[in-house]
């Protein structure tokens, strides 16, 4: 398996052991500055590359085995992104944009946008059952099972970059219009900042800037409906 672009740099994973050693990786999105063969997560910690590798596997497994997702009537690669900056692209096109951006061949989308979209796509289906509203079928009817926001949705929250030098984004997948609050607390539990809003169906992004705060460990607390999740955030410099 190869991710990256032929006109730039690539990562080649030659066997299952190499894949296991590379996944998962932390959510940085650096452009490859050289090509690699069988890097480990420790030697090349690149979240964009990891999500693209996972997406490649999901696409190929679906094409190889028709029974991988028996309830699905559409090839995984042909499903369409239904929200966010990459709305309208097929899964295959997202993968192409991601490989081009990762390898240094360019894309009109940011690497963070692609990484987050790929992460949500990779968690969007489970054996043909729909787990979030990131994807839709290219044409109707679309025989899938939907769901409303639950604890599964709380696993689709990302804070990046983390560690941060000040500015960071909290991204999460909404499945309906729901009131939410995001609290930032210091290591003593003292409330530093709060933001509130109403989610949209799709990718939601909330920006913070803590450049004026000291380097330390902070906690981001995300609340929606009667659900809550906390994520550790590291401020450096």
């Amino acid at each position: 398996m190869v991710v990256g672009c032929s006109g730039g740099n690539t990562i080649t994973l030659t066997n299952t052991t190499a894949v296991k050693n590379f996944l998962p990786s932390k959510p940085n999105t650096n452009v490859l500055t050289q090509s690699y063969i069988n890097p480990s997560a420790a030697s090349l910690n690149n979240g964009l590359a990891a999500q693209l590798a996972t997406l490649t596997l999901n696409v190929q497994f679906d094409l190889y085995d028709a029974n991988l997702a028996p309830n699905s009537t559409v090839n995984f690669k042909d499903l369409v992104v239904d929200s966010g900056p990459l709305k309208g692209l097929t899964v295959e096109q997202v993968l192409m944009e991601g490989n081009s951006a990762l390898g240094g061949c360019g894309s009109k989308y940011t690497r963070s946008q692609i990484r987050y979209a790929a992460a949500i796509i990779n968690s969007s289906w489970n054996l043909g059952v729909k787990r979030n509203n990131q994807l839709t079928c290219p044409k109707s009817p679309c025989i899938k099972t939907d769901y409303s926001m639950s604890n599964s949705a709380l696993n689709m929250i990302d804070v990046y970059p983390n560690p941060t030098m000040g500015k960071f984004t909290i991204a999460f997948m909404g499945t309906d219009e729901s009131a939410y609050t995001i609290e930032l607390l210091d290591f003593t539990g003292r409330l530093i900042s709060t933001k509130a809003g109403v989610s949209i169906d799709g990718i939601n992004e909330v920006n913070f800037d803590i450049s004026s705060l000291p380097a330390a460990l902070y906690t981001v607390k995300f609340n929606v409906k009667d659900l809550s999740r906390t994520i550790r955030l590291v401020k450096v410099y």
Side-chain angles (χ1 to χ4, degrees):
M1 176 176 60
V2 178
V3 294
C5 56
S6 59
N9 293 308
T10 60
I11 297 172
T12 302
L13 303 173
T14 61
N15 52 54
T16 56
T17 299
V19 172
K20 290 178 180 178
N21 289 339
F22 185 61
L23 302 177
S25 291
K26 293 182 180 179
N28 71 64
T29 59
N30 297 333
V31 173
L32 297 178
T33 57
Q34 66 180 76
S35 292
Y36 299 84
I37 297 178
N38 295 339
S40 66
S43 64
L44 179 64
N45 208 337
N46 191 307
L48 174 58
Q51 291 297 338
L52 294 176
T54 303
L55 189 55
T56 299
L57 291 172
N58 283 331
V59 168
Q60 294 302 318
F61 286 153
D62 182 63
L63 292 174
Y64 178 78
D65 185 0
N67 293 318
L68 181 68
N71 294 328
S72 176
T73 60
V74 180
N75 284 332
F76 185 64
K77 71 180 183 67
D78 296 323
L79 293 172
V80 179
V81 177
D82 199 34
S83 61
L86 278 67
K87 183 176 181 178
L89 297 187
T90 64
V91 169
E92 186 173 41
Q93 289 171 330
V94 171
L95 188 55
M96 292 173 61
E97 289 288 344
N99 281 324
S100 182
L102 175 68
C105 297
S107 172
K108 67 178 182 179
Y109 305 99
T110 69
R111 295 187 301 279
S112 291
Q113 287 173 336
I114 297 170
R115 191 206 67 78
Y116 184 72
I120 298 300
I121 291 171
N122 282 328
S123 61
S124 61
W125 296 89
N126 181 20
L127 299 178
V129 178
K130 194 174 183 182
R131 307 306 302 170
N132 64 50
N133 290 330
Q134 173 71 358
L135 299 176
T136 188
C137 292
K139 58 183 178 180
S140 296
C142 188
I143 304 172
K144 304 293 176 184
T145 302
D146 206 347
Y147 87 120
S148 60
M149 185 168 276
S150 66
N151 280 309
S152 297
L154 291 183
N155 293 325
M156 300 170 192
I157 301 171
D158 196 10
V159 177
Y160 63 89
N162 187 12
T164 179
M165 295 180 67
K167 294 182 179 180
F168 66 94
T169 299
I170 298 170
F172 63 94
M173 193 70 189
T175 59
D176 54 19
E177 293 185 355
S178 298
Y180 67 84
T181 60
I182 300 173
E183 300 172 328
L184 180 68
L185 303 94
D186 67 13
F187 69 96
T188 69
R190 181 173 63 93
L191 182 64
I192 302 295
S193 177
T194 301
K195 289 192 178 184
V198 176
S199 65
I200 62 171
D201 184 358
I203 297 174
N204 295 255
E205 295 182 320
V206 182
N207 298 316
F208 281 78
D209 187 352
I210 58 172
S211 301
S212 61
L213 297 180
L217 178 65
Y218 294 87
T219 297
V220 175
K221 186 176 182 182
F222 179 85
N223 307 289
V224 60
K225 297 183 178 178
D226 58 345
L227 306 173
S228 180
R229 183 183 173 192
T230 59
I231 300 173
R232 300 300 184 187
L233 173 73
V234 178
K235 166 73 170 13
V236 295
Y237 301 107

